[in-house]
Amino acid sequence: MPFIKYLKCSRCGRKYFLNEKPVMCKNNDLGRLDIYYDYEGIKDAVSREELSKRPFSMWRYYEFLPLSSKENIVSLGEGGTPLIKAKRLGEKLGLKNLYLKDETRNPTGSFKDRAMSVAVSMARELGFTKAATASSGNAAAALAAYGARAGIDVIAFVVDFAPYGKIAQLLFYGAKVFRVKWTTAEDPTVKMLKLVVEKYGFYPSPSFGPFNPYQIEGPKTISFEIVEQLGWSIPDQVFVPTGAAALLTGVYNGFRDFNMVGWINGYPKMVAVQSTGNAPFVRAWVEKQDPMNIRPWEKPPETIATGLEDTFPWDGDAGLKALYSTGGYGVAVEDDLILESMKMLASLEGLFAEPSGAAGLAGLIQAIRDGRVDKDETVVVLVTGHGLKDPDIVKKTAGDAPVINPVEEEFVEKLREFYKVVL
Ligand SMILES: *Cc1c(COP(=O)(O)O)cnc(C)c1O
């Protein structure tokens, strides 16, 4: 059995045990069923030394995850991503200890694979054969891939402006995909998700907690890995691109779990980054809103960071508490800075990220300008999604490459004209 004592609704406090197969709170209050672990049991079952002998994948942290049987694990080799010391980028920004956690290397190209590996494994354990999601694209692509692997049918409602890279993945993974038009502030994909869950009995598997409490356990393993990769030490600040704030919550929970078993002592500052075109969570932090009463964004999102488009941060309650309790903060960044960050990641470190994936770096640059980062601090930036998911963004800003006939003169001329280089 997993080391879970019980689950408890974050809104009404109703308790559930795992044998009741809970997914959403029965009181219909859209609280999240937070999982309470038996840390004494975990401590007896596994040690730091034992861990270090296992393969470097997110499932090496099995005891901290909600599965009852290893046989139900649905894996495509997610997690175990590199923590890259960014020397050139660090020099440019004046930081001595800058690290990039490269989540673009996950099987479908985003960290959402960690979440969906856990969610689909749990679907198998709970006996579901069909699952549905509401997503801006990445969570849906991940669910579709793991669903394919497990033989679970997937219906995906994605926002109408989702980049085609993500739609392409979804279609060939075999999901039934719908682009849903966004007209009012309310997220229309969530409306459709509720419909198929309530009326047609689908397993709800979006990447936010009130609809699925298990997936949020996946991103915990990002922090576990960071701690191990830093030689069992804690960074000073971690920059997290934020939409629903499930990632932020998961990453915080990872540090919490390692504190609870006594393997580390303390927390990094958790830093949430959003685009100024949709920043309900950062606004909640700025205005010190009550975590249980976060005000949704008033209109549809306007940003190139389509992965951060949640107008209501579903896990914002836990996310805000994570900022408050670690001395962290929120940063809103302009789309231009996100684009600049994409270029810097690619041209200085060889890392190609989509806009949402590079938003963490944009947040760091803004935080440096605001005087919130010391040059000696150990800073980790999560790079969350691959650039090939949304190549159109590059085309819109950088244009296309020049076309030439295979002759020297044209090469030299275009090199000068287009790239401003003279040989
Ligand atoms: C989903 C997503 C995020 C944000 O995660 P939330 O849990 O919604 O806050 C960040 N980056 C990428 C690439 C994503 O797909």
Side-chain angles (χ1 to χ4, degrees), residues 111-112 138 207 241-247 307-308 310 354 356-357 384-385:
F111 81 92
K112 294 287 196 319
N138 283 339
S207 63
T242 298
L247 173 60
L308 313 178
D310 308 76
E354 66 173 307
S356 307
T384 48

Side-chain angles (χ1 to χ4, degrees), residues 80 85 168 229:
K85 174 123 201 216
Q229 287 168 317

Side-chain angles (χ1 to χ4, degrees), residues 123-124 126-132 147 150-155 201-203:
R124 201 186 238 181
L126 302 174
F128 284 93
T129 56
K130 48 188 188 174
I152 288 174
D153 292 332
V154 171
I155 290 201
F202 280 73
Y203 174 67

